Amino acid sequence: MIEQEFDAIVVGAGMSGNAAAYTMASQGLTVLQLERGEYPGSKNVQGAIMYADMLEQIIPDFRDDAPLERHLVEQRFWVMDDTSHTGMQYRSDDFNEAKPNRYTIIRAQFDKWFSRKVRQAGATVLCETTVTELVRSASGKVIGVRTDRAGGPIYADVVVLAEGVNGLLGTRAGLRKMPKPESVALAVKEMHFLPDEVIEQRFGLQGDEGCVIEAAGTISRSMAGLAFLYTNKESISLGIGCLVSDFAQTMESPYVLLDNFKNHPSIRPLIAGSEVKEYSAHLIPEGGYKAIPQLFGDGWVAVGDAAQLNNAIHREGSNLAMTSGRIAGEAIIEIKGRNQPMIRRNLALYKTMLDKSFVVKDLMKYKDMPALIHTNSRNFFMTYPQLMSQAAQNFMRVDGTPKIEKEKATTAAFIKARSRWGLISDVVRLALAWR
Amino acid sequence: MTMAVTKLRVEEKLYQNRYLVDPGRPHIKVRPHERPSANLLALTHICPAKCYELNDKGQVETTSDGCMECGTCRVLCEANGEIVWNYPRGGFGVLFKFG
Ligand SMILES: Cc1cc2nc3c(=O)[nH]c(=O)nc-3n(C[C@H](O)[C@H](O)[C@H](O)COP(=O)(O)OP(=O)(O)OC[C@H]3O[C@@H](n4cnc5c(N)ncnc54)[C@H](O)[C@@H]3O)c2cc1C
Ligand code: SF4
């Protein structure tokens, strides 16, 4: 189909692939980008909060025409048990700034926009094309790809694997291992539509202001998991995700968890009367620093979720994807500029640059969190939420019991559930992992 | 909660979605087996599209029409060869309107 040989082939038109393709094409490299979906975004799922700074570094004036939903002025963290939530809430008018820091987006629309920018920058973008195989030279260097379209292989100096968390190509070619069930979460999500004035009223918002809720607790039935509710302009994205290993062990059905979350007395009134227009599911890489695979080799680099560059603790992924895509693109431009071949030794520049960025530094900071949360999920997601709710309720109910006795009862409940030593060790380990 | 109610619910959910099914070319296959492993059996509960079901011989079967291509079953059951997983042909499969 395509005779030309390219400077770079980018597999995937998600956040990382678009960032890489845009960066390279706008510097004059010949770029072919291949996407298996009917249009960019048709296979992609996100919560979705988008971080302005990382996009601004790629497309500084993105606010002029990117499809943005609401800029965030308020975030709530909820610890839930079956009938209550204990919450922390932060809201600031400072977030009503000229160039807001975080927005909600709808991925199918956002990815289409980003892809338009990639085309305008000069890349060739082919959708409805699944890359089926990497083509390698006799020495093993990746020299191109084969697709499910008619015609032979397509060649390039370097292939950017931006294929997302379930990346078949890299794992089939033996460039990295398949993600382990304990290092990926399965998330299910629904889109609930409501008139914008109803959303604004229910969450106390004005105009384009947005509010997000992240919730953990007994809603994940003792599995390591998190639920979310994000306000868009005329819809609410809502979902829940837990580790695949935990799902396999408990055999809980994700759609039952989602329905229970929707029916929770703290959530139900927020979505009452909404019309559901989509149900989706996707994996999220949660293994953190220790799960990062080999990122480069002869003729290839891996970016974004395909490289497990995702910060599950902070619910950040798209920004790590965009940044790793941009940096991979910049490294390739640099190597090309020096007229050097796209071999392992030279492509190591990508890793060197990535290590200096927030992407690897952030993941390094939380390198012990995934293991801790995984091995303690029952305490963190069942026992503690229930105890917190009991403690708060005990504190708020006025029933003639002296306050000192209430405090003692709360402490006793914590110790009974977890033992003094268990509590102390959980706190210490959490602090060490968080540090 | 009974199985019937749960199943009905998922089908209602999937009904909202857009799919372009590639007739006669399922992208996921279960290898024939006598007894399913624990992971394969788990898929009958945890696949978010309920694509896996037990037949009356106690073996696991799949119909991938409602599949959302999340990859959960691949992560659990591809490495040991219990299932064969491929992406649908370009353009086919689930088409998220919002994602
Ligand atoms: C429920 C959920 C909520 C999330 N919430 C947030 C959030 O609020 N904020 C945040 O920053 N991050 C969030 N994330 C994470 C974020 O979505 C990902 O980190 C990000 O999308 C990764 O980008 P990517 O480009 O690496 O992969 P993707 O966006 O998954 O893109 C991969 C692309 O490659 C294509 N592809 C794959 N294989 C092939 C092939 N063989 N041939 C052709 N094309 C192929 C796919 O179709 C897809 O378009 C969330 C994720 C989920 C699932
Ligand atoms: S990929 Fe996901 S939705 Fe599709 S069959 Fe496997 S588990 Fe089910």
Side-chain angles (χ1 to χ4, degrees), chain A residues 19-247:
Chain A
Y22 181 88
T23 303
M24 293 187 291
S26 56
Q27 291 297 312
L29 268 60
T30 56
V31 178
L32 173 67
Q33 189 182 29
L34 301 165
E35 165 59 48
R36 64 190 193 85
E38 183 184 46
Y39 47 86
S42 63
K43 300 290 183 183
N44 301 341
V45 179
Q46 189 179 329
I49 302 177
M50 198 276 296
Y51 305 88
D53 178 70
M54 290 76 194
L55 181 56
E56 221 163 2
Q57 291 190 34
I58 302 164
I59 304 180
D61 55 358
F62 76 87
R63 291 182 181 85
D64 293 351
D65 57 356
L68 305 168
E69 294 288 313
R70 291 175 180 275
H71 70 274
L72 298 179
V73 297
E74 179 174 333
Q75 175 133 11
R76 306 178 191 171
F77 297 100
W78 286 3
V79 178
M80 294 176 119
D81 77 350
D82 293 347
T83 52
S84 74
H85 74 262
T86 315
M88 198 186 96
Q89 196 160 342
Y90 184 71
R91 182 184 176 112
S92 173
D93 195 40
D94 293 347
F95 291 124
N96 282 317
E97 52 211 327
K99 292 187 163 186
N101 177 256
R102 302 190 304 164
Y103 297 88
T104 48
I105 55 166
I106 292 174
R107 270 299 289 274
Q109 291 160 12
F110 184 87
D111 288 9
K112 268 191 217 161
W113 166 84
F114 205 166
S115 179
R116 216 164 40 238
K117 294 280 167 187
V118 171
R119 278 174 222 252
Q120 284 164 6
T124 307
V125 182
L126 273 187
C127 291
E128 302 188 295
T129 311
T130 302
V131 178
T132 50
E133 205 186 336
L134 295 175
V135 182
R136 299 167 99 163
S137 70
S139 69
K141 180 180 186 289
V142 173
I143 53 170
V145 301
R146 251 180 255 280
T147 75
D148 62 354
R149 292 207 178 211
I154 316 168
Y155 298 102
D157 291 341
V158 62
V159 174
V160 178
L161 294 169
E163 47 180 342
V165 54
N166 185 27
L168 263 72
L169 286 176
T171 51
R172 296 247 160 108
L175 305 180
R176 60 169 182 273
K177 291 209 174 71
M178 177 110 75
K180 294 201 181 74
E182 59 273 20
S183 63
V184 278
L186 164 62
V188 285
K189 177 191 159 187
E190 275 179 1
M191 287 294 278
H192 287 249
F193 281 76
L194 281 167
D196 48 2
E197 64 270 13
V198 173
I199 295 177
E200 281 149 33
Q201 196 188 16
R202 284 183 191 174
F203 291 87
L205 304 168
Q206 282 185 338
D208 285 347
E209 289 176 344
C211 165
V212 302
I213 303 174
E214 319 228 63
T218 61
I219 37 168
S220 67
R221 308 261 182 97
S222 88
M223 297 186 280
L226 201 80
F228 61 86
L229 183 159
Y230 298 157
T231 53
N232 305 316
K233 195 108 199 65
E234 293 179 321
S235 62
I236 289 176
S237 306
L238 153 162
I240 183 162
C242 302
L243 288 179
V244 168
S245 52
D246 284 357
F247 270 124

Side-chain angles (χ1 to χ4, degrees), chain A residues 300-363:
Chain A
W300 65 274
V301 292
V303 295
D305 277 8
Q308 296 257 339
L309 301 173
N310 197 303
N311 186 344
I313 309 293
H314 283 263
R315 302 271 104 195
E316 293 176 26
S318 64
N319 52 337
L320 280 69
M322 284 191 278
T323 304
S324 59
R326 171 179 62 79
I327 291 178
E330 287 169 357
I332 290 167
I333 293 165
E334 165 108 27
I335 297 165
K336 169 106 183 150
R338 293 189 210 139
N339 261 324
Q340 290 178 336
M342 296 292 164
I343 54 173
R344 173 185 287 260
R345 182 157 39 87
N346 296 330
L347 286 166
L349 177 64
Y350 161 51
K351 172 106 190 343
T352 312
M353 288 164 69
L354 198 65
D355 283 347
K356 287 194 200 128
S357 72
F358 81 95
V359 173
V360 171
K361 285 188 180 153
D362 279 3
L363 292 176

